[in-house]
Amino acid sequence: MKRIFTVLVFVALLMVMLGGCKEKAPEKPFTDKILEDNPKETKETKEKSKLEKFTGLALEKDDIKFKFEGKNLNLDLPIYYEKNRYYIPFTEIIEKIGGSIEEQSSKFKISINNVEFSIDKDTNTYNSPKGLRKFKKPMIIKDEVIYVTFIDFIDMLNLRTRWFQKSKTIVLYWNKENPNIQTVENRRTNKAFLRLEDIAAGGIYENTENLEKLRILSDFLRSKGAIYHMAWVPRYVEPPRKIDLDLSREYSFYASEFLFTLDYCINRNAIVGLHGYTHQQGNEASVVGWEFTDKLNANEKAVRDRVESSIKLAKDLDIPFKFFESPHYGARLGQKKIIEEYFDYIYEYHYGPNETRPSLGDNKRTLYVPTPLDYVHGVDKTDRMLQKINSISSSTLASMFYHPGLEFEFIKLTSGENEYPGFEYLSNSPLHRILDTFEKKGYSFRSIEELRN
């Protein structure tokens, strides 16, 4: 009996050992399980890997925060800047706001918000519902990550922005304001010319609210099919407050918003001109002070230094310009003769304030463009301008300038659903009334370049 029991135990142990030697089916690696159970993870893992491989750009960085449709974007990649233009991680942001990017040879195909468009690396252009557009600055591609300037990004996707200076935060929203834009074919037969005066990185524009209002004003002009001019003071100086702002040299969140606003207006039919260099002298503040008179910067070297400094600053910032205007029309004939060497257009009278038609300069090339209608001297003086427009003769150039600050009390910034950056623009503003009056007389705002036709 004992021998039988021993045999049975031995057989049992043998069966257990043989069973343990059976080959088991290999378990799938953990990562395969993830991919099989959640296919979406492959895309996210790939993107994360791409971001981790990014080695950075040779540009300065700043901790700028972005919110999209009311939610923090929490970007992993840095925000860079160059001469006050932000470069943002296009690849990461598109992914975070629900879009996709597919590389196809020399192009990228982007799908987002039920819209598709493409980017051409070779031509530095993008094709969107707005048509074919050229990037303001070439996009940067490094380690499979695309960076573009912020102005290119918001125009490409048709976004609205609101800037918050204290927290260095920019909020982004899909643009709900899409007015019908008048095209060239809609323009009236008669030509009128408008210049927005004293645009500078200081004074009334030193707060973000007024910069946003200037952008809203530019959207309004574009919606009317207007081409308009902007007299920009390149360097803002205010010695009593120890302010000397050269956008090409000094970075700040404010300076970036101002340059963004200038780019924004240019993309909406604005033609920029140089309004002096600093529009001041000595201890005066820019815009208020004088720069060229029979006593100020009267010699040839002083004129050339000022003019060449303004040109250099604009070129350093990649701001295209078409004309020059001396502050307060103060330049004398000798100074103007020197300025003619640098510009095809000088947007002021040639010999005297009573001129009503354009005239060629001493070099027989530069065209002087006077403003016989003058300007609106205050909101309560708007009717006087309307009377001038209604009584203008066909022999007088319909040319005027306007200080945008008069318009700002008629633009109210609002915060809508999800803090959407809305606004109310009253239709009884001076500029609305001026445009309506011109339209009724068959005029439309055009470029001074058309005066040569």
Side-chain angles (χ1 to χ4, degrees), residues 343-412:
F343 296 89
D344 291 332
Y345 298 89
I346 295 180
Y347 208 155
E348 59 187 273
Y349 59 75
H350 188 184
Y351 296 106
N354 295 324
E355 292 173 7
T356 60
R357 300 297 304 172
S359 63
L360 286 175
D362 291 352
N363 63 5
K364 304 303 179 185
R365 174 183 59 84
T366 301
L367 190 68
Y368 284 83
V369 183
T371 49
L373 292 173
D374 203 25
Y375 68 102
V376 180
H377 289 251
V379 172
D380 59 340
K381 302 295 190 296
T382 304
D383 286 344
R384 184 183 300 175
M385 175 59 73
L386 302 184
Q387 290 169 6
K388 289 182 182 179
I389 297 169
N390 280 319
S391 61
I392 194 169
S393 69
S394 58
S395 61
T396 298
L397 186 70
S399 175
M400 62 169 288
F401 60 99
Y402 185 75
H403 295 89
L406 296 179
E407 204 74 359
F408 292 168
E409 66 180 274
F410 296 88
I411 302 173
K412 311 294 183 185

Side-chain angles (χ1 to χ4, degrees), residues 142-276:
K142 186 176 182 184
D143 303 326
E144 298 185 73
V145 173
I146 305 169
Y147 270 80
V148 299
T149 65
F150 186 56
I151 183 65
D152 286 321
F153 179 73
I154 68 105
D155 277 347
M156 193 189 314
L157 269 63
N158 190 25
L159 300 174
R160 281 193 64 77
T161 69
R162 181 160 287 169
W163 299 54
F164 294 89
Q165 296 285 338
K166 289 184 179 179
S167 62
K168 293 169 76 170
T169 300
I170 306 174
V171 298
L172 309 169
Y173 292 81
W174 297 117
N175 192 1
K176 298 177 183 177
E177 326 293 334
N178 287 300
N180 293 322
I181 297 173
Q182 294 184 11
T183 61
V184 175
E185 291 74 20
N186 298 133
R187 294 180 190 151
R188 280 72 180 171
T189 305
N190 300 320
K191 298 176 182 178
F193 304 91
L194 172 68
R195 188 180 71 230
L196 302 182
E197 196 76 346
D198 294 334
I199 309 301
I204 67 168
Y205 299 105
E206 71 178 16
N207 68 73
T208 189
E209 181 175 322
N210 284 347
L211 287 177
E212 183 173 349
K213 288 181 177 181
L214 183 59
R215 298 195 292 270
I216 291 167
L217 188 156
S218 75
D219 282 327
F220 165 66
L221 287 171
R222 183 181 66 157
S223 74
K224 290 291 187 178
I227 297 175
Y228 55 101
H229 307 80
M230 296 181 73
W232 168 50
V233 181
R235 180 175 175 181
Y236 186 83
V237 178
E238 195 173 340
R241 297 173 61 197
K242 298 182 179 179
I243 296 174
D244 185 351
L245 181 52
D246 178 340
L247 298 173
S248 68
R249 295 182 179 181
E250 296 180 35
Y251 164 76
S252 70
F253 188 78
Y254 162 75
S256 292
E257 184 181 7
F258 180 86
L259 186 58
F260 169 84
T261 302
L262 207 56
D263 285 336
Y264 187 95
C265 294
I266 291 169
N267 288 352
R268 285 151 184 80
N269 298 344
I271 297 172
V272 171
L274 307 182
H275 194 16

